[in-house]
Amino acid sequence: MSLTQADAQAWNSELESKSPQDILAAALDKYDNLAISFSGAEDVVLVDMAAKLGKSFRVFTLDTGRLHPETYRFLEKVRTHYGIKIEATFPEVAQVEAMVNEKGMFSFYQDDHKECCAVRKVGPLRRKLSTLSAWVTGQRKDQSPGTRVDIPVVQIDGAFSTESNQLIKFNPLANWSSQQVWAYIRSNEVPYNELHEKGFISIGCEPCTRPVLPNQHEREGRWWWEEATAKECGLHAINVDKK
């Protein structure tokens, strides 16, 4: 059953003061065809919470072909630690070949990152989400001053819904800080990417991610050659488009 915008707003008002576990439980109870999007520290916290809820859940990840070796080891560590299947989604080979053959391996340093992200991340994500009714992300409001400060804990995903498939998006950690995420990781002995021990906070593809200096915002480690306040790869385009 589809939600109206009023339904979604009312549900958000009901859930926004709840704990991430309560929000996640509500999502899992409401939607059978739901999956947790997994790549980083926030996402593995959600996986840990889901495992402890004792409910059936699915996890998927996007393999862009440009991830750090440490990230691949992290994915395997999480898979074995929780005894879960991680559904990997890959870019279309023909699209990657065409882009690289025409523009080389690092065109995003000159052209900006959007084309490469569209091929390696947004296209595969759209394909995956077309098979789901809802998805769960690890977005936090304090991750990006320009694009994430207003994210609700539940919303209709206007960026990836279609006429035949309304997609609902849950952000259970929207109101958490980075400090709360890492306090949870430490207190629950949750696996994490070893790159975090080398100064990386927000981790994406290897050519587009670097460590940050003390007191730099975490998003300054992503696409650092571009304007700082609107850094989204397209996975959360709804934050920019305000749909």
Side-chain angles (χ1 to χ4, degrees), residues 15 30 45 56 72 127 147 171-172 176 232:
L15 291 176
K30 179 75 171 179
V45 165
S56 176
Y72 289 111
R127 192 170 71 246
T147 64
N171 308 297
W176 266 26
E232 291 288 355

Side-chain angles (χ1 to χ4, degrees), residues 71-182:
T71 299
Y72 289 111
R73 290 196 290 271
F74 172 49
L75 291 170
E76 184 63 12
K77 186 189 300 183
V78 170
R79 187 185 70 83
T80 57
H81 182 84
Y82 293 102
I84 60 173
K85 176 182 177 181
I86 298 179
E87 303 167 18
T89 300
F90 300 90
E92 294 288 350
V93 173
Q95 292 182 345
V96 175
E97 286 183 351
M99 180 179 63
V100 171
N101 288 341
E102 179 184 354
K103 297 187 174 183
M105 287 286 185
F106 302 103
S107 58
F108 39 83
Y109 289 138
Q110 287 76 44
D111 298 344
D112 84 29
H113 70 275
K114 294 182 183 63
E115 180 182 17
C116 188
C117 283
V119 171
R120 294 182 182 272
K121 299 173 76 173
V122 181
L125 179 66
R126 188 177 298 279
R127 192 170 71 246
K128 184 67 176 181
L129 294 180
S130 70
T131 69
L132 300 173
S133 300
W135 65 311
V136 180
T137 87
Q139 289 189 103
R140 304 188 332 266
K141 290 179 179 178
D142 68 348
Q143 279 175 324
S144 176
T147 64
R148 299 191 179 183
V149 292
D150 296 320
I151 57 172
V153 298
V154 59
Q155 62 190 140
I156 298 171
D157 193 334
F160 291 102
S161 290
T162 65
E163 289 186 4
S164 60
N165 183 49
Q166 184 188 67
L167 186 72
I168 304 302
K169 184 176 186 178
F170 294 90
N171 308 297
L173 300 177
N175 296 314
W176 266 26
S177 65
S178 177
Q179 289 83 357
Q180 287 173 292
V181 168
W182 280 96

